[in-house]
Amino acid sequence: MKCPRTGVDLKPVNIGGITVDISEKCGGVFFDHDEIEKFDEKTKIRGGLLVQHLKQFTPPPLNLNKHVNCPKCTGTVMDRSFYSSKNKIEVDKCPSCAGIWFDFGELEKLRNLIPVSNGSYKSGRQFEEQLLNSPAYQEYKSALDDNADDTARREKADQLHLFLFNCIY
């Protein structure tokens, strides 16, 4: 696989039993689908080791606004978007394989923003409470409860359900 920023070969590196692909030219890292979950929280040791390893590389000047191709799916342009609605870190995500490319320093920034494991449950409960008390959810619930047979109400409920699903994921 090639680095989406520099075009050099990515180097597979085993960190705690998980192989990720790094660019020694720019300090970026590619995670296959769902691998990031094993590196994202600040308390996860393998994430700290990877961040330290990547710090040894000095990236050349890069245009981070330029859309790049997925290193795994040849010819597929990755989407540049925020990692999540709360964590304002922009990453490149492949719409085909769901792999994620982190440019130099982005993984470290993400790890500093995500709540640690002890706080994850509490954060999740707070989010759930906010969501269930939100006007959007109340409208969704009302649309389902009032008249499920009404096609227009049902369509509105489906739209709101999709909206709520996207808030969670």
Side-chain angles (χ1 to χ4, degrees), residues 77-149:
V77 177
M78 299 180 89
D79 298 323
R80 182 115 179 120
S81 60
F82 291 112
Y83 181 75
S84 77
S85 60
K86 284 196 151 197
N87 300 313
K88 302 297 182 188
I89 305 294
E90 280 191 284
V91 297
D92 301 281
K93 186 171 183 178
C94 179
S96 182
C97 71
I100 299 177
W101 174 260
F102 282 83
D103 290 304
F104 182 83
E106 290 175 343
L107 177 60
E108 183 175 22
K109 288 177 189 174
L110 177 70
R111 287 173 46 80
N112 288 328
L113 289 173
I114 289 187
V116 296
S117 293
N118 295 347
S120 295
Y121 177 76
K122 183 179 177 185
S123 295
R125 296 296 294 163
Q126 288 172 341
F127 176 75
E128 179 183 24
E129 187 176 314
Q130 288 173 346
L131 186 63
L132 293 177
N133 292 322
S134 72
Y137 179 77
Q138 295 304 320
E139 187 178 347
Y140 166 71
K141 188 176 176 206
S142 175
L144 287 179
D145 293 343
D146 287 350
N147 189 354
D149 294 331

Side-chain angles (χ1 to χ4, degrees), residues 15 20 22 29 31 39 46-54 107:
I15 307 281
V20 295
I22 67 166
V29 59
F31 293 97
F39 293 86
R46 69 172 54 97
L49 293 171
L50 180 57
V51 165
Q52 288 306 311
H53 183 72
L54 293 171
L107 177 60

Side-chain angles (χ1 to χ4, degrees), residues 8-53:
V8 301
D9 287 336
L10 294 177
K11 180 180 179 183
V13 176
N14 188 308
I15 307 281
I18 298 170
T19 300
V20 295
D21 300 285
I22 67 166
S23 172
E24 293 182 337
K25 175 110 178 163
C26 72
V29 59
F30 181 75
F31 293 97
D32 286 324
H33 178 64
D34 289 337
E35 280 181 339
I36 184 60
E37 294 172 4
K38 297 171 177 65
F39 293 86
D40 58 359
E41 291 181 6
K42 196 168 186 153
T43 57
K44 294 182 179 171
I45 295 170
R46 69 172 54 97
L49 293 171
L50 180 57
V51 165
Q52 288 306 311
H53 183 72

Side-chain angles (χ1 to χ4, degrees), residues 54-70:
L54 293 171
K55 281 184 175 182
Q56 70 181 305
F57 307 111
T58 305
L62 299 169
N63 179 1
L64 299 181
N65 294 320
K66 180 185 171 208
H67 288 279
V68 295
N69 289 333
C70 176

